[in-house]
């Protein structure tokens, strides 16, 4: 499932191979929006920066997003207010405004295209209307000019909608390409195909990767979920996977950026591709690795689009995950026990176009000394009792998934027959959990035990991958690590 973005504007720059022995001021792990924006800010401030990317630029969430750069964020503002009150909400909004302004100014400087759009959040139920009222009130208190919308312009009935004009949408790979070009022009370095596996921090940072070891004064983990477990961030995050389908639609399509506040979530925007205006429909999110039929979720988006936009024909379908933090505020700052040398940024709750850049501004401030006032408020935001409760719930679900996975493999042996094309099965083989799949005629048998912390992986039929229901690590059918907090592949079953 290749996204519209990765298909129409892949970033083919691979940088220079990592040889081992290089020295940098800062190493940034991850070439998504967080990593590249942080690296650009540091390189512009005169640092010698290297971005080390396990796969390719934008390969994971940023290359598979819906890329709305918006302050109207579903329930996000009312959730931040509910958990932390008005002062933190004001700081959250200020951080997102600063990020939006920085990115727009950067794109204008570089001549990178983006489109101004009105953002809408709409409700289809009375309960949804009450959520809209809370969002409007939170936006009001933080000075965001959201208003009730008389006509959202959608081709189906809504109970109500709120709107925020002059927000932005873009092609995320074009944006990453511009950031990368700027980074290289400012002396930054890109190494792709090298996975950071360990970071020692006793005397400076010793960054061990799959391609060799480099040293640096400082490391930024911009890897989606952090790959080092010292901060146990994985225990405060819920990985949520959702689906996006792009369509060619006869006639005109509504020009706004839309998000439903009721379930099932529907996220809509247009995307100019050549002379066409495609329609994107996203939604059907669920915790990673905990859905039996993922193909059905894609089919459901297609049938919803067919019903509301007659004649819509699919051009691309894809999927991605982002991390919902207990407490709704992104987790940005020092990794514990790293002597202040390793920093992380994660937990954007599907609002990373603003929050990744806000994190970059915050992380770069440690070097540039230009710390914005909102950064200090967000840095001292601690988990409230309600957040701790949410964290406990995430972990109870994780413990349940761990137990269920191990019990299920205990209960059933792995069938001798290869599974049918496109499917995978988990069972006991020689007394140990094994995962076997057949993809493109090749049957692979792997250990079913996730290399992060021992969850039992489940088969994702839509993407032909093994997904871990604990903290969201994912592996392809041959065991190669795709994403998540794990740092090594699923080994072949010996
Ligand atoms: C379906 C969907 C739709 C979304 N839509 C929107 C939207 O409309 N607006 C919005 O604001 N946000 C949206 N988001 C959220 C947003 O896309 C993400 O928050 C954002 O892209 C995260 O960027 P990132 O750089 O932190 O992570 P990523 O883009 O995932 O980048 C992390 C990079 O780190 C690399 N990496 C991982 N481990 C290692 C390692 N050990 N060594 C080296 N490299 C490593 C990965 O390969 C990857 O390239 C959406 C998210 C999803 C899932
Ligand atoms: S991702 Fe943590 S155990 Fe698999």
């Amino acid at each position: 499932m290749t996204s519209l973005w990765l298909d129409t504007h892949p970033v083919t720059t691979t940088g220079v191979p990592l040889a081992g022995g290089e020295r940098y001021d800062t190493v940034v792990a991850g070439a998504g929006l967080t990593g590249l924006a942080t690296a650009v800010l540091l390189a512009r401030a005169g640092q010698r920066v290297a971005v080390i990317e396990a796969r390719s630029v934008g390969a994971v969430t940023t290359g598979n997003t819906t890329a709305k750069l918006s302050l109207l964020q579903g329930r996000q503002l009312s959730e931040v207010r509910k958990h932390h009150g008005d002062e933190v909400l004001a700081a959250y909004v200020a951080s997102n405004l600063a990020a939006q302004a920085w990115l727009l100014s950067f794109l204008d400087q570089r001549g990178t295209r983006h489109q101004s759009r009105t953002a809408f959040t709409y409700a289809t139920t009375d309960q949804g209307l009450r959520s809209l009222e809370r969002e409007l009130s939170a936006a009001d208190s933080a000075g965001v000019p959201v208003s009730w919308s008389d006509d959202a312009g959608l081709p189906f009935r809504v109970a109500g909608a709120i709107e925020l004009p002059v927000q932005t949408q873009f092609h995320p790979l074009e944006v990453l390409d511009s950031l990368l070009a700027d980074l290289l022009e400012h002396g930054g370095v890109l190494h792709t195909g090298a996975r950071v596996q360990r970071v020692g921090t006793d005397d400076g940072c010793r960054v061990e990767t799959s391609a060799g070891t480099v040293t640096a004064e400082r490391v930024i983990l911009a890897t989606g979920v952090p790959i080092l477990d010292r901060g146990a961030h994985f225990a405060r995050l819920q990985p949520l996977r959702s689906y996006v389908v792009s369509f060619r639609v006869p006639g005109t399509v509504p020009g706004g950026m839309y998000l439903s506040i009721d379930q099932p979530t529907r996220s809509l925007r247009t995307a100019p591709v050549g002379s066409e205006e495609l329609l994107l429909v996203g939604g059907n999110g669920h915790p990673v690795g905990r859905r039996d039929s993922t193909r059905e979720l894609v089919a459901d988006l297609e049938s919803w689009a067919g019903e509301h936009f007659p004649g819509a024909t699919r051009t691309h379908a894809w999927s991605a995950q982002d991390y919902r933090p207990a407490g709704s505020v992104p987790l940005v700052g020092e990794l514990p026990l790293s002597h202040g040398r390793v920093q992380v940024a994660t937990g954007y709750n599907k609002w990373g176009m603003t929050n990744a850049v806000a994190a970059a501004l915050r992380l770069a401030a440690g070097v540039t000394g230009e710390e914005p006032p909102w950064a200090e408020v967000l840095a001292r935001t601690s988990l409230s009792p309600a957040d701790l409760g949410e964290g406990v719930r995430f972990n109870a679900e994780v413990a349940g998934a761990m137990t269920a996975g191990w019990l299920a493999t205990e209960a059933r042996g792995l069938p001798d027959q290869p599974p049918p094309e496109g499917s995978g099965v988990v069972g006991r083989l020689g007394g140990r959990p094994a995962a076997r799949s057949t993809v493109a005629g090749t049957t692979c048998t792997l250990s079913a035990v996730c290399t992060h912390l021992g969850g039992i992986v489940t088969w994702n039929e839509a993407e032909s991958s093994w997904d871990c229901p604990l903290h969201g690590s994912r592996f392809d059918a041959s065991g190669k690590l795709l994403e998540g907090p794990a740092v090594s592949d699923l080994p072949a079953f010996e």
Side-chain angles (χ1 to χ4, degrees):
M1 302 220 295
T2 304
S3 73
L4 173 70
W5 318 122
L6 287 162
D7 189 31
T8 55
H9 192 110
V11 176
T12 49
T13 312
T14 52
V16 289
L18 191 150
E22 294 90 338
R23 297 186 65 84
Y24 299 105
D25 295 329
T26 300
V27 160
V28 177
L33 185 56
T34 307
L36 287 179
T38 308
V40 163
L41 287 162
L42 293 175
R44 284 181 169 197
Q47 285 236 313
R48 182 158 164 71
V49 184
V51 175
I52 301 183
E53 164 57 48
R55 295 175 60 185
S56 55
V57 171
V60 182
T61 310
T62 307
N64 293 284
T65 179
T66 43
K68 301 172 183 168
L69 181 74
S70 175
L71 260 287
L72 190 65
Q73 302 182 345
R75 301 166 185 266
Q76 180 70 4
L77 302 187
S78 46
E79 285 293 312
V80 172
R81 188 187 205 190
K82 181 176 95 188
H83 285 274
H84 301 288
D86 282 339
E87 187 195 11
V88 173
L89 173 63
Y92 177 86
V93 166
S95 72
N96 276 244
L97 282 170
Q100 209 179 36
W102 185 88
L103 192 55
L104 287 176
S105 145
F106 174 85
L107 297 178
D108 289 340
Q109 277 168 34
R110 304 262 350 160
T112 309
R113 66 184 182 144
H114 53 87
Q115 300 95 42
S116 175
R117 291 285 185 272
T118 298
F120 297 89
T121 305
Y122 67 89
T124 47
T125 64
D126 287 347
Q127 201 185 350
L129 271 181
R130 287 193 288 280
S131 301
L132 284 187
E133 277 161 13
R134 282 193 290 276
E135 197 61 17
L136 184 60
S137 156
D140 233 17
S141 83
V144 184
V146 173
S147 56
W148 284 105
S149 172
D150 295 332
D151 178 15
L154 286 165
F156 49 85
R157 202 194 75 77
V158 298
I162 53 178
E163 66 175 62
L164 179 62
V166 205
Q167 302 304 295
T168 301
Q169 63 179 27
F170 48 64
H171 188 310
L173 265 291
E174 290 176 359
V175 170
L176 292 186
D177 212 2
S178 294
L179 286 165
L180 178 60
D182 199 88
L183 173 68
L184 300 181
E185 281 163 27
H186 286 86
V189 175
L190 172 71
H191 300 295
T192 55
R195 187 172 288 280
V196 174
Q197 291 168 320
R198 267 174 294 278
V199 180
T201 51
D202 283 341
D203 178 19
C205 294
R206 200 182 133 78
V207 185
E208 294 175 34
T209 81
S210 53
T213 298
V214 305
T215 51
E217 294 302 314
R218 205 164 163 247
V219 171
I220 310 274
L221 294 180
T223 52
V225 60
I227 46 134
L228 301 179
D229 289 342
R230 279 174 238 170
H233 288 89
F234 61 83
R236 287 194 271 159
L237 295 166
Q238 187 180 42
L240 294 170
R241 202 148 184 91
S242 36
Y243 303 82
V244 188
V245 186
S246 56
F247 298 94
R248 199 164 274 131
V249 178
T252 50
V253 284
M257 304 189 295
Y258 303 90
L259 186 65
S260 67
I261 207 153
D262 302 294
Q263 293 295 326
T265 304
R266 293 290 178 260
S267 168
L268 281 78
R269 61 161 279 192
T270 56
V273 176
S275 58
E276 290 185 295
E277 194 79 354
L278 301 184
L279 173 71
L280 267 55
V281 178
N284 288 349
H286 61 84
V288 176
R290 298 196 209 152
R291 240 341 252 249
D292 282 342
S293 176
T294 47
R295 254 186 232 134
E296 265 175 19
L297 300 174
V298 179
D300 179 60
L301 287 181
E302 283 190 69
S303 86
W304 185 89
E307 186 187 330
H308 298 294
F309 300 91
T313 51
R314 159 177 160 168
T315 66
H316 298 76
W318 65 96
S319 177
Q321 69 200 42
D322 207 22
Y323 298 86
R324 184 160 84 87
S328 297
V329 174
L331 308 176
V332 182
E334 275 176 27
L335 188 75
L337 307 177
S338 71
H339 311 291
R341 294 194 178 105
V342 181
Q343 285 166 310
V344 300
T346 185
Y348 306 144
N349 200 18
K350 297 198 190 139
W351 293 107
M353 296 300 103
T354 46
N355 280 301
V357 178
L361 293 169
R362 237 169 112 178
L363 294 171
V367 168
T368 59
E370 293 162 9
E371 185 163 63
W374 47 263
E376 191 266 321
V377 179
L378 293 177
R380 64 179 154 80
T381 304
S382 54
L383 291 181
S384 68
D387 305 339
L388 291 173
E390 201 167 27
V392 167
R393 183 171 61 73
F394 290 172
N395 286 294
E397 288 169 9
V398 163
M402 176 76 135
T403 311
W406 279 87
L407 285 179
T409 50
E410 278 299 310
R412 100 178 145 237
L414 194 73
D416 291 335
Q417 290 302 313
E421 176 60 36
S423 61
V425 60
V426 170
R428 196 169 18 84
L429 185 62
R432 287 180 294 134
R436 181 175 284 160
S437 66
T438 306
V439 174
T442 303
T443 297
C444 293
T445 307
L446 309 167
S447 161
V449 183
C450 174
T451 53
H452 178 226
L453 292 174
I456 299 294
V457 294
T458 62
W459 183 246
N460 174 344
E461 55 175 19
E463 298 176 83
S464 295
S465 62
W466 291 109
D467 296 0
C468 181
L470 270 56
H471 315 110
S473 290
R474 298 182 56 248
F475 307 84
D476 75 9
S478 70
K480 199 169 168 37
L481 177 58
L482 296 170
E483 63 185 300
V487 290
S488 51
D489 299 341
L490 272 187
F493 195 90
E494 298 289 337

